[in-house]
Amino acid sequence: MKFVLQIVREQISNIPLIFRLAGYDIKSAYQMHYLGTIWQFLNPIVQILAYWFVFGIGIRGGAPVGDTPFFIWLLVGIVPWFFISSSITQGSNSIYKKVSLVAKMKFPVSVLPTITIIKNANNFLLLFCGLLIILLLNKIYPGIYFLQLPYYLFALIALLFSVTLLSSTISVLIRDFQTAISSLMRMFFFLTPILWDASSLSNSLINLLKLNPFYYIIEGFRNTLLNGTWFYEDLLLTIYFWSFVLLVLFIGAFLHIKFRNKFVDYL
């Protein structure tokens, strides 16, 4: 447990540094592009339109999911997924990319995955604000269930932090792991009910889907904004999700503290 507390203390004591470096990364990412940071929104918009056309119009024939238009239902699931996918894929490589630059100075290496999460959180928050505007324009109001949105945002950040801490450490030790993470995230994109409705599946298959921690997050946002369901109504799933996050965080913190002084030796 002391490993987890040490990692958390490093994040808290370096909050100004994390936000400053994340801001620099955002500015530098598109500085050579004519449209600059506009690409942060153009890329996801193009993907959303493509998925809506193929799955919503092509496969479903424009049919809604329950009482919700497919386009709205898709947006509520895919906007958090963009944040999850980019943060885990980039965060897993964050230490390997920069450890040689910071190895010769006193630098809290454990903040590198967090910097990636904060950088991608900027895109997510802007897209999420756009999503809320679209919901209001379509007269979809979450009502009192909107109060649980901070809970799912916290759960999302906790999941990303624990997974990227572990995966970024393993990626330094075993380079194949970074390639495996990219492949796994593509697989989870289709295994998580983002583009398709899981309600028609049998109970046994739905229970199997719930083992995927991303399911809890994606369905949590839909339950908050569309379905009107509290997070504690499926208490067993909530306990499973936080057990998963804490286990991954513990393993990630232990491996990071154990190996971080030797990261340069693995480059």
Side-chain angles (χ1 to χ4, degrees):
M1 192 63 187
K2 66 178 182 180
F3 302 114
V4 174
L5 294 176
Q6 182 177 348
I7 291 293
V8 172
R9 277 198 297 268
E10 288 179 358
Q11 311 307 307
I12 295 174
S13 61
N14 289 286
I15 287 177
L17 175 67
I18 291 171
F19 278 87
R20 190 165 61 251
L21 292 179
Y24 174 78
D25 279 354
I26 292 171
K27 292 178 182 176
S28 62
Y30 298 97
Q31 63 180 355
M32 300 301 291
H33 297 66
Y34 288 113
L35 295 180
T37 55
I38 294 176
W39 282 109
Q40 291 177 309
F41 311 104
L42 285 181
N43 281 328
I45 288 172
V46 169
Q47 291 182 63
I48 289 169
L49 291 177
Y51 291 136
W52 169 67
F53 182 78
V54 173
F55 289 88
I57 303 299
I59 295 178
R60 295 182 59 88
V65 180
D67 295 329
T68 306
F70 179 81
F71 184 71
I72 303 294
W73 184 87
L74 171 66
L75 278 180
V76 176
I78 205 168
V79 168
W81 177 258
F82 283 144
F83 183 31
I84 292 170
S85 178
S86 59
S87 296
I88 291 180
T89 305
Q90 297 170 22
S92 298
N93 205 33
S94 59
I95 293 179
Y96 180 82
K97 283 176 61 180
K98 296 185 177 179
V99 70
S100 60
L101 299 177
V102 302
K104 297 181 180 178
M105 64 183 78
K106 188 177 181 181
F107 186 89
V109 181
S110 67
V111 305
L112 290 174
T114 310
I115 291 171
T116 302
I117 294 172
I118 296 299
K119 180 187 72 175
N120 289 312
N122 177 69
N123 294 4
F124 168 68
L125 291 176
L126 291 173
L127 285 174
F128 195 77
C129 288
L131 167 63
L132 293 180
I133 293 172
I134 291 174
L135 290 177
L136 293 176
L137 291 176
N138 284 273
K139 299 181 179 180
I140 297 175
Y141 310 110
I144 193 172
Y145 296 96
F146 195 76
L147 293 175
Q148 72 178 348
L149 181 61
Y151 165 77
Y152 279 110
L153 291 174
F154 178 75
L156 174 56
I157 294 296
L159 175 63
L160 293 180
F161 177 69
S162 59
V163 171
T164 54
L165 179 66
L166 174 61
S167 60
S168 60
T169 300
I170 297 178
S171 291
V172 176
L173 307 179
I174 307 171
R175 283 306 297 157
D176 301 76
F177 192 74
Q178 173 61 29
T179 305
I181 280 288
S182 299
S183 299
L184 284 172
M185 292 310 296
R186 283 194 291 273
M187 183 183 74
F188 274 116
F189 175 62
F190 290 102
L191 290 181
T192 307
I194 298 169
L195 302 175
W196 49 277
D197 181 18
S199 61
S200 60
L201 297 179
S202 64
N203 287 335
S204 57
L205 284 178
I206 290 179
N207 288 333
L208 189 62
L209 274 180
K210 290 180 178 179
L211 296 176
N212 171 5
F214 306 129
Y215 176 93
Y216 183 78
I217 297 296
I218 299 300
E219 287 302 297
F221 276 90
R222 285 189 175 132
N223 287 338
T224 300
L225 300 175
L226 301 176
N227 301 331
T229 304
W230 295 107
F231 70 91
Y232 53 76
E233 292 185 37
D234 194 342
L235 192 58
L236 188 61
L237 180 60
T238 298
I239 293 173
Y240 165 76
F241 172 80
W242 284 109
S243 299
F244 176 88
V245 169
L246 291 175
L247 177 63
V248 174
L249 177 60
F250 179 83
I251 296 173
F254 173 76
L255 291 178
H256 183 87
I257 297 295
K258 183 177 177 62
F259 287 102
R260 67 177 174 184
N261 291 332
K262 302 176 182 176
F263 280 161
V264 177
D265 298 336
Y266 289 90
L267 298 180

